[in-house]
Amino acid sequence: MKEVLEALRDDNINMISICGMGGIGKTTMAKEVAKRAKDDELFDEVVMAVVSQNQDLRKIQGQIADLLHLKLEGETELGRANELYSRLMRSKSVLVILDDVWEALNLEDIGIPYGGQHKRCKILLTSRSEEACNQMRSQIFPIKVLSEEEAWNLFREMAGDCVDTLGLHPIAKEVAKECGALPVAIVTVARALENKTKDEWIAALEQLKKSIPKNIPGLHSKVYSSIEFSYSYLKSDEAKSCFLLCCLFPEDFDIPIEYLVRYGVGRRLFAKIDNVAEARSRVHAMVNDLKRSFLLLDSKNKECVKMHDVVRDVAISIAEEHGFLVRCDDKMEEWPEKDTYEIYVAISLFSREMKKHPNGLECSKLEHLQLSCCKDTQQMLPANMFQGMKELKVLSMRGMSFPSLPQSIQVLQNLRTLHLEYCGLEDVSAIGALGKLEMLSFLGSEIKELPREIGNLGHLKLLDLSECSTLQRIPYGLLSSLSRLEEFYMSRSRCEIGNLRATLRELTQALLN
Ligand SMILES: Nc1ncnc2c1ncn2[C@@H]1O[C@H](COP(=O)(O)OP(=O)(O)OP(=O)(O)O)[C@@H](O)[C@H]1O
Ligand SMILES: [Mg+2]
């Protein structure tokens, strides 16, 4: 830390990198550097952006601009880069932190001045890859694991004073040792054992010693064992399922807690739930427990939660054993090639380039399918897309355009949660045949009229029409025919006023009844 700060003061050094394996504390150190740089007024401005594996230049530009209170007007990446560049050139001195770099970045493409262009614009990178940082010609500072004393202090802070009691002290010391002085391992293991009895500590030590580490590139095997251990110590199967749902989203993603609620209800992951509100309270409580265990993190958005990328790597590895397939790769144009899809229970594919979906793929165990694409990429949805997915309980499609739903949607007679979000939709009347549907969301989709057939959904509990800016009307009588409806959302939607009045009257009447 001292060396990094010294390098930042050195006029001859323009770019530096903090390098080391996953979970060793690079981001934590970079944040601390940012704080110190501000406190000591080393720079006029300090900004930080997360790069992550799927380099998204627009997103990086956006993050930096937000922190500079700059509104980027440009449509193209180049236009935005020029705006950002001009703004940074006007700054007297600025520190730009780019966290979690995987491949060499072209700073010019983002709009960051470097080298001789602006002597007082310094760049700090964090990366697992020294090679990438070398390619960018930056000075490298390898980060080391904690000293024995630091490791023990952190362990004690997380596990509580109990580790100092006579009987527990030697066992706790051994458990701490199993964490290999790696911060992420220490915090997850210590928190899992907070307030546990001596017998539980002894059992935990055995379990950690026996654990068969999995080799995940870029991760120390102790990191894997520790996070897996922390997962195995979760209080309930519900909390475990809720945790695994979070790895269905891309790295560094703000996961809406509401999705965990709707997916969980659809999958019947929560026992003894009478209504959606109860499920929501349960999920919020579980999310808080998971945060306390360091398995989830706070997001800037209070409706969302994040998963640390190291935790996510381990979560995906655990989830694979439960039949999960997760791929988030913007270059993916079609579904990954597999010998069979019959083993999968949950599939999540994120790609802005996705063009083709399979026709009649046999997925007899599949309960959960999440597809996130880009509306600007022309897509083909074959008629028999869902034919082999009769067990599907949760279907989420985002950023897709289709004039009508694939004919085979009718086979989804077990479907309980359907999200068609930020989609371009025309005729969706086929939804009326999905008799078990409980949750239906058209969030942000372009849809003109809600089909009358939705009134047939006798089990529907939640209807979300938020941000449906093209919605003109809701057919009269539709809402009152949904006798089990518990929640109805239409924030930031544009409905014709006469129709809105009628809708409100209908809802009031339904409530009175
Ligand atoms: N010095 C420290 N003291 C206390 N906790 C720490 C320290 N360093 C890291 N941690 C904790 O360890 C976890 C992992 O740290 P961090 O996110 O900084 O790792 P990283 O090296 O950036 O990982 P990745 O390669 O995945 O980006 C975090 O939960 C953080 O709170
Ligand atoms: Mg990091």
Side-chain angles (χ1 to χ4, degrees):
M1 175 91 179
K2 223 172 95 202
E3 290 163 35
V4 172
L5 284 165
E6 259 168 37
L8 287 178
R9 286 198 174 93
D10 187 335
D11 285 341
N12 298 314
I13 301 174
N14 181 245
M15 195 190 308
I16 57 177
S17 305
I18 301 172
C19 293
M21 60 193 144
I24 199 164
K26 300 179 292 296
T27 304
T28 310
M29 187 188 277
K31 284 186 178 159
E32 192 56 32
V33 168
K35 190 171 166 292
R36 291 277 281 276
K38 273 186 215 157
D39 292 350
D40 299 353
E41 296 179 3
L42 282 182
F43 295 88
D44 283 352
E45 295 175 295
V46 178
V47 293
M48 182 158 176
V50 183
V51 178
S52 81
Q53 261 187 82
N54 234 338
Q55 273 185 17
D56 180 344
L57 296 192
R58 280 186 81 86
K59 202 170 145 200
I60 302 169
Q61 290 167 330
Q63 291 178 67
I64 299 176
D66 281 350
L67 292 168
L68 295 169
H69 309 291
L70 169 70
K71 177 116 191 63
L72 294 175
E73 310 281 348
E75 270 298 322
T76 62
E77 273 166 15
L78 180 64
R80 291 158 65 90
N82 288 338
E83 290 171 64
L84 197 56
Y85 185 86
S86 311
R87 170 64 180 79
L88 287 169
M89 285 302 279
R90 283 201 303 277
S91 182
K92 243 170 63 204
S93 68
V94 54
L95 173 63
V96 181
I97 303 175
L98 297 173
D99 186 32
D100 203 18
V101 173
W102 285 73
E103 283 167 56
L105 265 172
N106 187 342
L107 298 177
E108 211 170 304
D109 290 349
I110 307 175
I112 303 171
Y114 66 98
Q117 294 168 336
H118 184 346
K119 280 239 175 281
R120 294 293 297 141
C121 173
K122 298 214 178 191
I123 296 135
L124 172 64
L125 311 174
T126 82
S127 179
R128 290 188 198 175
S129 159
E130 278 200 28
E131 195 190 326
C133 301
N134 266 328
Q135 277 177 22
M136 293 179 73
R137 292 169 209 253
S138 105
Q139 180 154 349
I140 290 171
F141 291 88
I143 187 168
K144 295 181 211 83
V145 292
L146 301 177
S147 70
E148 201 175 313
E149 193 190 342
E150 285 169 330
W152 175 247
N153 288 341
L154 180 58
F155 191 88
R156 181 203 271 135
E157 191 189 322
M158 294 297 146
D161 294 341
C162 66
V163 298
D164 288 326
T165 55
L166 256 167
L168 213 54
H169 189 77
I171 305 159
K173 277 266 183 188
E174 268 196 82
V175 173
K177 228 181 186 164
E178 283 299 313
C179 302
L182 287 149
V184 74
I186 295 171
V187 295
T188 47
V189 169
R191 254 308 139 68
L193 290 170
E194 191 187 17
N195 301 324
K196 291 282 188 286
T197 62
K198 187 176 168 187
D199 286 339
E200 284 170 306
W201 277 82
I202 294 170
L205 182 58
E206 284 298 306
Q207 189 179 333
L208 277 167
K209 278 189 168 159
K210 276 198 210 128
S211 122
I212 303 161
K214 257 208 187 143
N215 190 15
I216 301 179
L219 282 200
H220 195 289
S221 61
K222 297 268 186 215
V223 168
Y224 178 86
S225 323
S226 305
I227 295 171
E228 193 198 32
F229 168 83
S230 177
Y231 165 82
S232 74
Y233 260 64
L234 285 174
K235 270 188 246 154
S236 62
D237 285 344
E238 294 189 2
K240 287 182 182 169
S241 307
C242 187
F243 170 73
L244 293 184
L245 282 181
C246 295
C247 72
L248 293 171
F249 298 88
E251 210 181 281
D252 199 45
F253 194 83
D254 288 302
I255 305 163
I257 299 171
E258 186 62 19
Y259 283 16
L260 306 179
V261 176
R262 297 182 191 178
Y263 291 174
V265 169
R267 297 272 303 279
R268 291 288 188 268
L269 296 180
F270 318 126
K272 297 190 185 131
I273 288 290
D274 288 329
N275 53 47
V276 184
E278 268 180 36
R280 190 170 294 117
S281 313
R282 176 102 44 107
V283 169
H284 278 267
M286 281 189 286
V287 165
N288 285 339
D289 281 348
L290 289 164
K291 279 192 203 161
R292 200 171 156 70
S293 313
F294 287 94
L295 293 175
L296 292 179
L297 300 171
D298 279 326
S299 150
K300 279 191 193 123
N301 179 344
K302 73 176 187 2
E303 307 291 322
C304 296
V305 72
K306 279 196 154 183
M307 189 173 234
H308 191 284
D309 45 5
V310 164
V311 175
R312 182 172 172 272
D313 288 342
V314 177
I316 289 180
S317 164
I318 297 171
E320 277 169 357
E321 283 160 27
H322 291 82
F324 279 48
L325 171 64
V326 184
R327 284 279 183 290
C328 306
D329 175 1
D330 275 336
K331 291 179 203 91
M332 182 168 57
E333 293 188 5
E334 49 186 289
W335 288 36
E337 209 175 299
K338 299 278 168 195
D339 288 340
T340 174
Y341 267 82
E342 291 275 34
I343 50 173
Y344 296 116
V345 175
I347 297 178
S348 174
L349 306 175
F350 274 69
S351 168
R352 275 179 295 185
E353 290 299 320
M354 183 69 79
K355 294 189 175 86
K356 220 174 137 195
H357 300 275
N359 196 12
L361 190 68
E362 273 309 318
C363 304
S364 55
K365 289 196 187 138
L366 194 65
E367 293 187 10
H368 189 150
L369 176 61
Q370 174 167 258
L371 298 171
S372 182
C373 310
C374 175
K375 250 196 297 184
D376 299 334
T377 310
Q378 193 77 36
Q379 284 172 53
M380 212 182 73
L381 288 183
N384 284 331
M385 178 162 170
F386 300 114
Q387 198 64 40
M389 304 181 185
K390 295 191 176 69
E391 291 305 315
L392 211 58
K393 296 190 175 81
V394 174
L395 173 61
S396 164
M397 299 207 274
R398 194 183 175 97
M400 298 165 82
S401 265
F402 27 86
S404 62
L405 289 163
Q407 205 184 353
S408 54
I409 193 123
Q410 317 247 4
V411 306
L412 304 183
Q413 289 303 317
N414 293 305
L415 199 68
R416 299 201 190 95
T417 299
L418 177 59
H419 280 190
L420 297 173
E421 301 190 334
Y422 300 99
C423 287
L425 305 170
E426 283 177 37
D427 178 13
V428 288
S429 53
I431 293 175
L434 306 175
K436 285 198 186 147
L437 210 59
E438 294 178 4
M439 317 246 156
L440 178 57
S441 167
F442 290 110
L443 172 78
S445 282
E446 286 163 29
I447 183 170
K448 285 204 185 98
E449 191 173 343
L450 216 52
R452 196 162 274 290
E453 287 80 355
I454 285 182
N456 300 341
L457 301 173
H459 290 275
L460 203 68
K461 294 180 178 172
L462 182 149
L463 180 58
D464 191 345
L465 303 178
S466 305
E467 295 176 42
C468 291
S469 56
T470 54
L471 188 71
Q472 287 163 358
R473 57 186 296 276
I474 298 169
Y476 187 69
L478 190 150
L479 290 175
S480 44
S481 59
L482 298 171
S483 57
R484 302 226 181 128
L485 197 66
E486 292 168 17
E487 300 187 4
F488 175 62
Y489 298 86
M490 61 178 305
S491 63
R492 295 187 298 277
S493 270
R494 213 182 297 158
C495 215
E496 191 250 313
I497 188 73
N499 184 243
L500 189 62
R501 271 200 205 106
T503 304
L504 285 175
R505 229 179 289 128
E506 233 187 289
L507 280 173
T508 322
Q509 197 57 46
L511 277 175
L512 291 174
N513 291 344

